[in-house]
Amino acid sequence: MPLPKAELHLHVEGTLEPELAFRLAERNGVRLPYADTEELRKAYEFADLQSFLNLYYELMAVLRTEQDFADLADAYLTRAAAQGVRHAEIFFDPQAHIARGVPMSTVVEGLWRALGNSEAAHGVSTRLIMCFLRDESADSALETLEAARPHLDRITGVGLDSAEVGHPPAKFREVYEAAAALGLRRVAHAGEEGPPAYITEALDVLGVERVDHGLRCLEDPALVERLVRDRIPLTLCPLSNVRLRAVDALTEHPLRRMMEAGLLCTVNSDDPAYFGGYVADNYHAVRAALGLTKEQMRELARNSFLASFLADDEERRARYLAEVDAYEFSAAVP
Ligand code: ADE
Ligand code: ZN
């Protein structure tokens, strides 16, 4: 039985496996510029974040109907459950779909077909987090929030993703203020490729409660001190960092140092169909590469629930934490 955990940094569009991409392409009469899944997989060689995003946005062309989004999310939840995920806070990128003529309602209601049934079908509780694309304009983000208003009963929070460098958080001050006024929780990608100042800005200007990635905080000791003091969770994605060359190798990943510095670290999969592993695969990979102990693995799982947006269901959070505390590691784990 896998260690119970929450996944807090997962782009649903990044769970599109090549087999499902081709199946949806055929269903929707969309032509992909790859002969087959094998040829598509050969394109999964990334130099940086942008080279990945190019393919990520290209493949979204196959997602057209509510059922497509439902099938995508259901395939993720099936895999997540098998990896010990008990709770998933799932990002989606509405602007990337609206720009292709797929309305917000198709995206949200399609995802909800799977999420609304996830506890019964998979034993996984869920939340949805709507991300703004930071390489689009602030006005476009405001329009997106407006388009989401009829669906806010389905949406727990807002996030900020896509190409980071050159798109600092402050550009989105107004839309984050509006989101906060609507009672939405706030997170943002910061410090994945961008400088530590973007992390500080996400905290100070956008009021984020959790930082996605946050890897480059280590370059600013005062920021590390603040993140430790204020118990700001970081959603780290180790296999993603290797594939997008934010770190040279998993053995060089700073996760262990970050935990030992007192940072509230979580481990997540980001875009698992593209980066070679789902969340338990990330846990196993860092354990092996960094020599994490059982108690450090348990700390990561505990942190995932502590950092989750389960404030509206503390009873459930306590139940999940108790499951982590009672978990017995197999002898294979040091
Ligand atoms: N969109 C999907 N995955 C992303 C990542 N790792 N960073 C920024 N934007 C993303
Ligand atoms: Zn991400």
Side-chain angles (χ1 to χ4, degrees), residues 9 11 13-14 49 52-53 56-57 93 133-134 160-164 189 192 213 237 240 244 270-271 275:
H9 186 153
H11 303 264
E13 296 90 345
L49 174 58
F52 154 69
L53 289 171
Y56 170 82
Y57 292 126
D93 284 331
L133 301 182
R134 67 200 309 153
L160 187 64
D161 64 2
S162 202
E164 185 181 7
H189 283 51
E192 178 184 20
H213 293 295
C237 306
S240 164
L244 301 186
D270 207 2
D271 301 283
F275 301 150

Side-chain angles (χ1 to χ4, degrees), residues 138-139 141-142 145 169-180 205-206:
D139 281 347
L142 281 163
L145 183 62
K171 176 174 156 188
F172 298 96
R173 175 200 299 266
E174 201 181 339
V175 75
Y176 270 68
E177 280 172 2
V205 181
L206 305 185

Side-chain angles (χ1 to χ4, degrees), residues 246-265:
V247 301
D248 290 335
L250 209 53
T251 47
E252 307 292 311
H253 198 282
L255 170 68
R256 183 174 174 158
R257 271 190 289 135
M258 295 172 91
M259 291 175 75
E260 288 169 358
L263 288 161
L264 205 167
C265 297

